[in-house]
Amino acid sequence: GVPLAWASYGDGPTTVVLMPAWSIVNSRMWKAQVPYLARHYRVVTFDGRGSGRSGRPREAAAYTDEQYAADTVAVLDDAGVDRAVLVGLSCGASWAIRVAAGHPDRVHGIVALGAACGFPVAQPERDHYVWSVPYATYQGWAKYNKHYWLDGGYEDFVRFFMAEMFPEPHSTKQIEDATAWGLDVEP
């Protein structure tokens, strides 16, 4: 029941689906990859629920891994794609694996980049912060917090997060673009 905005580029014999990474950014995050890939493949991108031009359910329960995987299958169906290579960055890698596990006949293969969500990987700089616990101060990864976001700290979190995602020197354009996309999403 969530409207999903998707686009298709190119018409190669193999379809590549560039998965959403998280609801904090839309499919424009793939803007540098689409032109090259579309010369060789059919490329499908879509805005994950909660971002871009897709629907934005208000309840947190609408944002489970299973729902993102189901959204991917719905986009495949809507785009008329029988089988595809799924390319997932961050959470998108986890969702691609879920799609392949539930619908192996629909997936040629998976490319997983920086798989970060749904896997028990130790992250010492983040692990001691709890999403739903209020803190006296919000520095570093403590900003990834429900109370901070709802009390007006979401923009600060987005700026912090994107700087962490693009730590290389001269990444200012990537940080600016991703921050703008992240601020297009409500906390």
Side-chain angles (χ1 to χ4, degrees):
V2 176
L4 299 169
W6 62 271
S8 179
Y9 309 90
D11 60 359
T14 300
T15 300
V16 173
V17 176
L18 301 175
M19 303 283 291
W22 188 29
S23 56
I24 197 170
V25 293
N26 60 42
S27 59
R28 289 286 295 150
M29 69 175 227
W30 295 109
K31 70 180 186 174
Q33 289 74 33
V34 169
Y36 174 80
L37 292 172
R39 287 194 295 265
H40 307 279
Y41 309 98
R42 178 180 182 202
V43 177
V44 174
T45 63
F46 69 101
D47 294 338
R49 57 179 55 218
S51 71
R53 294 169 293 126
S54 287
R56 298 174 185 218
R58 300 296 296 171
E59 62 282 352
Y63 294 89
T64 66
D65 291 339
E66 292 77 18
Q67 286 162 323
Y68 277 100
D71 289 349
T72 304
V73 174
V75 168
L76 291 173
D77 290 345
D78 201 34
V81 175
D82 293 326
R83 290 176 60 96
V85 174
L86 305 180
V87 179
L89 169 69
S90 188
C91 293
S94 176
W95 302 329
I97 291 168
R98 289 173 186 277
V99 172
H103 305 273
D105 57 316
R106 304 292 302 267
V107 180
H108 279 299
I110 295 172
V111 177
L113 307 166
C117 296
F119 301 109
V121 176
Q123 297 175 314
E125 70 279 7
R126 296 174 67 170
D127 287 346
H128 55 279
Y129 296 110
V130 179
W131 163 251
S132 59
V133 173
Y135 296 106
T137 62
Y138 295 93
Q139 299 299 316
W141 284 102
K143 295 176 183 190
Y144 181 61
N145 182 275
K146 170 184 172 180
H147 300 282
Y148 187 60
W149 291 13
L150 295 177
D151 288 339
Y154 180 72
E155 181 174 343
D156 184 46
F157 163 75
V158 170
R159 292 183 190 291
F160 164 78
F161 181 78
M162 296 311 173
E164 291 291 307
M165 296 302 103
F166 299 100
E168 300 85 4
H170 311 294
S171 294
T172 55
K173 178 62 174 153
Q174 292 89 339
I175 293 169
E176 288 172 10
D177 284 353
T179 298
W181 301 326
L183 294 179
D184 185 42
V185 176
E186 299 171 21

